[in-house]
Amino acid sequence: MLDTAILQQVTDIFSTLEADYTLVARCSASRDERAQLAEFLNDFATTSPRLSVEHHDADGDTLEFSLYKGGVATGVTFRGIPNGHEFTSLLLAILNADGKGKNLPDEGVVRRIRALSGDIRLQTYVSLTCTNCPDVVQTLNIFALLNPNISHEMVDGALFQSEVDAKGVQAVPAVFADGEMLHVGRGSLGELLEKLEAHYPSVPQSGDASNAPITRSFDVVVLGGGPAGASAAIYSARKGLRVAILAERIGGQVKETVGIENMISIPYTTGSELADNLRTHLTHYPIELFENRRVESTELQGAEKRVTVVGGEIFTAPAVIIATGAGWRRLNVEGEAEYIGRGVAFCPHCDGPFYAGKSVAVVGGGNSGIEAAIDLAGICKRVTVIEFMDELKADKVLQDKVRSLPNVDVLLSTQTTKVIGNGDKLTALQLKDRHTSEERELALDGVFVQIGLSANSAPFAELEKTRIGEIIIDAHCRTNIAGVYAAGDVSSVPYKQIIIAMGEGAKAALTAFDDRVRGVI
């Protein structure tokens, strides 16, 4: 089932395994995929003498296998056959169990994971074609490996359709904690950890000094790991300064971009590739990376700035560069939050297949909205584009394409005022004509929100901002507080582009260094 080239690559990867691992499979005779799973696991186990497989019969529609280390369950289970993007999740589960995975969190985050108490049973419903699902699966597998109170199972929704229907899953990844929906869509380790901390008590382990907050001091603290943050950190480090990056993830929002064609000198790359390249570049300098951190509060007045992140860690420095970027903007209408993952979606690439042959809407007439409508038109029965303004904002070539599609309607001057559902899933949108104020309902199976980004500036109450929340900066990226700088999409700089963010990050770092030399900070 696995070809020779893949098996050889896995053999090389597993050549340094130190512990013995068993893949314990449980399958019912009624499952058509039983033989396929057995072949997959048997092939996989040939990649290392440290791997073995046990096959057991089971009742019902069972099709799963669990990972054991030295005969002890790790808490990691795969329900289905982890092909496609989830193949990496299986590899990393074993590598992380062996302490060799490259995505294991640092000590501060590990302490928070281990402090989670209670019997926590997690399930993640995925599609094997979803590019966001593996990040969530791999993260929750790490939680299970680090904390014996936690178990996690990946569920291939296509193989357990009755469960998907019963739970009303309409977007992936969909995470359930003890049977209740916890999270839908892409999510960083820090975001998932915060949601678990909100649902389950955290109890420091015996002998762990985690009650005492950790304080770390630097010359420059950069908030954000996207293009602006990476650029600011590199330029600061090149000046010989002690630099830290605090970020939910390196790459930031860029990681969600499928194709990038306007990075000068690089005709084409992807968001994932660019994020990896940013990380690689950062590691060429003595920059300390603190990922999976979200800023909780700041004290920016005075010579020494203090930044506190969720979990209690404190970072101090005379210079702080804010490059926290922007996040997906929501409609903020009645019913939206209630039906996220049950008809309200944000990623057409991941969640579009759930709406094959159905009727959907795309809210937003910019490039991202029209691109989404074009993609969805290939699989959906009907696509309706809803644009608030009197004309579409997308490039003309995209407008021409979408208007040529027979199953796409475009509604201009239309406001979405409410998401309507039946308690289980979305059933319609309430729309308002902005010129006549006439309201009507549009029956739908789903809606994809594509209305742009909003600045991630909420924690910085001391700074002056624009009406839409962007941090106001001068031509040198200075804010209204000495020693505090902002760069990229979180700032008031015009044109939210990757290449502009990189330049702004460099500018902020050079300004901070100049202020340091001149004694301003």
Side-chain angles (χ1 to χ4, degrees):
M1 182 175 183
L2 295 172
D3 66 41
T4 304
I6 291 178
L7 290 173
Q8 184 56 56
Q9 291 174 18
V10 177
T11 298
D12 294 340
I13 293 171
F14 285 165
S15 62
T16 59
L17 289 181
E18 298 178 15
D20 292 322
Y21 297 92
T22 305
L23 304 174
V24 179
R26 299 176 63 252
C27 302
S28 65
S30 62
R31 293 296 313 216
D32 294 336
E33 304 85 1
R34 178 186 176 109
Q36 187 180 2
L37 177 61
E39 181 183 0
F40 173 89
L41 295 177
N42 290 337
D43 285 352
F44 189 80
T46 65
T47 60
S48 172
R50 293 288 192 180
L51 294 178
S52 61
V53 183
E54 291 182 9
H55 296 282
H56 301 277
D57 292 328
D59 299 327
D61 67 346
T62 306
L63 182 79
E64 66 183 33
F65 66 94
S66 299
L67 177 64
Y68 282 67
K69 177 181 180 180
V72 178
T74 62
V76 173
T77 296
F78 293 85
R79 292 177 60 200
I81 304 170
N83 278 320
H85 294 295
E86 292 301 341
F87 186 70
T88 302
S89 298
L90 174 57
L91 295 183
L92 283 175
I94 295 172
L95 290 174
N96 286 334
D98 215 52
K100 296 180 173 62
K102 294 183 179 180
N103 64 336
L104 288 168
D106 58 63
E107 176 192 0
V109 176
V110 168
R111 294 199 313 177
R112 290 171 61 192
I113 294 171
R114 288 178 172 161
L116 290 168
S117 63
D119 189 23
I120 305 172
R121 298 290 172 257
L122 303 175
Q123 293 176 303
T124 302
Y125 289 83
V126 307
S127 164
L128 297 184
T129 62
C130 170
T131 56
N132 289 323
C133 292
D135 288 341
V136 171
V137 170
Q138 291 159 23
T139 292
L140 297 180
N141 281 346
I142 288 173
F143 288 9
L145 292 170
L146 292 175
N147 187 330
N149 297 320
I150 300 174
S151 68
H152 174 244
E153 59 181 24
M154 179 219 82
V155 184
D156 180 356
L159 297 182
F160 295 91
Q161 191 62 47
S162 61
E163 285 186 35
V164 168
D165 294 339
K167 293 189 174 182
V169 174
Q170 289 188 296
V172 290
V175 180
F176 288 79
D178 294 319
E180 299 294 326
M181 183 173 281
L182 179 78
H183 176 87
V184 178
R186 56 181 173 265
S188 66
L189 187 153
E191 181 181 2
L192 292 165
L193 179 54
E194 284 185 43
K195 288 188 175 183
L196 285 173
E197 288 172 331
H199 283 75
Y200 300 94
S202 291
V203 179
Q205 303 299 293
S206 58
D208 188 350
S210 52
N211 279 323
I214 300 173
T215 301
R216 298 181 173 91
S217 297
F218 296 90
D219 294 323
V220 179
V221 169
V222 178
L223 308 181
S231 178
I234 289 169
Y235 268 74
S236 295
R238 286 175 62 86
K239 296 297 186 181
L241 302 177
R242 292 177 296 113
V243 182
I245 282 186
L246 315 184
E248 293 190 35
R249 58 179 175 174
I250 299 302
Q253 192 68 27
V254 159
K255 205 171 177 68
E256 309 305 330
T257 304
V258 177
I260 300 170
E261 299 177 326
N262 54 1
M263 281 282 292
I264 308 306
S265 83
I266 302 173
Y268 181 83
T269 187
T270 67
S272 180
E273 289 171 344
L274 179 56
D276 290 342
N277 289 337
L278 291 176
R279 180 186 296 278
T280 299
H281 202 169
L282 287 166
T283 60
H284 282 69
Y285 297 91
I287 298 168
E288 294 195 42
L289 304 182
F290 296 91
E291 289 189 79
N292 306 304
R293 264 67 171 194
R294 185 173 63 83
V295 177
E296 187 170 57
S297 63
T298 58
E299 299 174 32
L300 301 177
Q301 299 286 355
E304 196 74 4
K305 323 299 182 185
R306 289 169 61 91
V307 178
T308 303
V309 300
V310 173
E313 292 170 281
I314 298 170
F315 296 82
T316 66
V320 172
I321 299 175
I322 301 170
T324 45
W328 292 111
R329 182 177 287 119
R330 295 187 179 184
L331 296 169
N332 292 321
V333 299
E334 181 183 346
E336 179 185 30
E338 180 182 355
Y339 289 103
I340 289 177
R342 297 187 295 164
V344 176
F346 298 88
C347 179
H349 304 290
C350 299
D351 302 330
F354 284 96
Y355 300 91
K358 298 181 179 180
S359 296
V360 301
V362 175
V363 180
N367 283 347
S368 61
I370 299 306
E371 288 173 352
I374 293 169
D375 288 344
L376 291 166
I379 59 173
C380 295
K381 179 175 69 176
R382 199 82 201 164
V383 179
T384 303
V385 176
I386 301 170
E387 167 56 41
F388 182 83
M389 304 302 289
D390 294 336
E391 59 183 22
L392 298 177
K393 302 183 292 294
D395 295 340
K396 184 177 184 302
V397 63
L398 294 174
Q399 292 191 40
D400 291 343
K401 174 64 177 177
V402 80
R403 291 186 188 279
S404 72
L405 299 173
N407 62 334
V408 177
D409 298 317
V410 177
L411 302 180
L412 301 176
S413 308
T414 302
Q415 180 181 1
T416 304
T417 57
K418 183 178 181 181
V419 174
I420 300 169
N422 60 11
D424 293 323
K425 61 182 180 180
L426 174 150
T427 58
L429 291 181
Q430 183 171 293
L431 306 177
K432 178 181 180 180
D433 186 302
R434 291 199 307 111
H435 296 307
T436 66
S437 296
E438 179 184 354
E439 291 191 339
R440 67 186 178 99
E441 289 187 10
L442 177 64
L444 293 166
D445 299 297
V447 58
F448 290 82
V449 181
Q450 301 281 294
I451 56 174
L453 304 170
S454 59
N456 295 324
S457 62
F460 314 111
E462 300 165 89
L463 299 179
E464 293 180 356
K465 302 173 189 176
T466 67
R467 176 183 58 82
I468 58 174
E470 298 169 336
I471 297 172
I472 297 174
I473 57 172
D474 66 11
H476 298 271
C477 296
R478 295 185 180 97
T479 69
N480 61 299
I481 297 179
V484 181
Y485 314 85
D489 289 4
V490 74
S491 77
S492 57
V493 67
Y495 309 118
K496 311 305 185 184
Q497 297 290 310
I498 294 170
I499 197 166
I500 291 175
M502 287 181 171
E504 291 292 295
K507 188 199 298 182
L510 294 174
T511 300
F513 183 74
D514 190 53
D515 286 351
R516 180 186 179 93
V517 170
R518 296 173 182 274
V520 176
I521 60 174

